[in-house]
Amino acid sequence: LKAVPASFRMILREESVLEVFDPTLVVAVTLALFGILFGARNLDFTKRQTGLMTAVAVESVVKLAAFLLVGVYVTWGLFGGFADIFGRAAQHPVRMLTLDQPATASYARWAAMLLISMLAVMFLPRQFHVLVVQNSRERDVNAVSWSFPLYLLLINVFVLPIAFAGLLVFPEAGGGADGFI
């Protein structure tokens, strides 16, 4: 809900367009209508929904491909590889890792966020629905046991290079790191 309006604001730099309509309200109303029209058709949540699983799979593959393409472009197109990005980031460690401000960013907070993120993989409704409700065959658990960790590894390979490259190229945008990609 926050990402789409933030994207609108980054793309539509002209404030007059944003004064006419509130992107957050438009997105919320659109999502509500979509949920009513398509989500309320079938109230049997235990029924297999291949369309939903296809949508989740396509979204995951598109997201992975886009992130890998951007990561490769940033790492080897804009910089000279991992060593170049990490070397430049090491020259500005305070700007790169703002753990010098314990009130806003500390190792304890980072560890707590990491734990919550790891737990979210299994306990969020979407993951539970995909792993338990929509899982029709027990043998699929074997494929998921290696493919999901591989997916997580691949989607996170370029997180630090993109973050460091964004901070190096756009040093004034430290708080707006969501716009680096």
Side-chain angles (χ1 to χ4, degrees):
L1 191 58
K2 285 175 52 178
V4 174
S7 299
F8 274 128
R9 285 189 172 84
M10 285 187 337
I11 293 169
L12 302 173
R13 295 274 184 202
E14 192 173 321
E15 291 296 322
S16 63
V17 175
L18 295 175
E19 290 173 4
V20 175
F21 69 96
D22 180 18
T24 307
L25 180 62
V26 171
V27 170
V29 168
T30 304
L31 287 174
L33 289 174
F34 184 82
I36 291 168
L37 292 174
F38 297 104
R41 284 185 180 179
N42 183 5
L43 296 178
D44 183 12
F45 297 114
T46 60
K47 183 180 176 193
R48 304 287 178 241
Q49 298 174 358
T50 57
L52 175 66
M53 294 298 96
T54 302
V56 170
V58 169
E59 175 212 4
S60 299
V61 170
V62 168
K63 189 186 302 183
L64 177 63
F67 205 74
L68 290 175
L69 287 173
V70 169
V72 166
Y73 172 72
V74 167
T75 304
W76 287 283
L78 298 178
F79 292 87
F82 287 107
D84 183 27
I85 291 176
F86 286 105
R88 290 188 195 188
Q91 294 172 356
H92 309 286
V94 173
R95 186 169 24 133
M96 295 299 121
L97 300 173
T98 58
L99 294 176
D100 61 330
Q101 302 168 358
T104 59
S106 68
Y107 288 110
R109 184 171 190 261
W110 179 80
M113 293 299 285
L114 182 63
L115 178 66
I116 290 169
S117 299
M118 290 187 312
L119 292 173
V121 169
M122 290 304 297
F123 296 121
L124 283 178
R126 178 176 169 173
Q127 279 75 7
F128 180 81
H129 188 78
V130 170
L131 288 172
V132 178
V133 177
Q134 293 296 320
N135 186 8
S136 60
R137 296 178 301 214
E138 192 173 327
R139 70 173 189 240
D140 292 341
V141 174
N142 292 331
V144 170
S145 68
W146 64 265
S147 62
F148 188 61
L150 177 64
Y151 175 83
L152 291 176
L153 174 71
L154 289 175
I155 205 158
N156 284 294
V157 164
F158 292 108
V159 168
L160 283 178
I162 289 172
F164 287 161
L167 289 172
L168 289 168
V169 174
F170 308 111
E172 68 283 348
D178 290 342
F180 287 166
I181 288 186

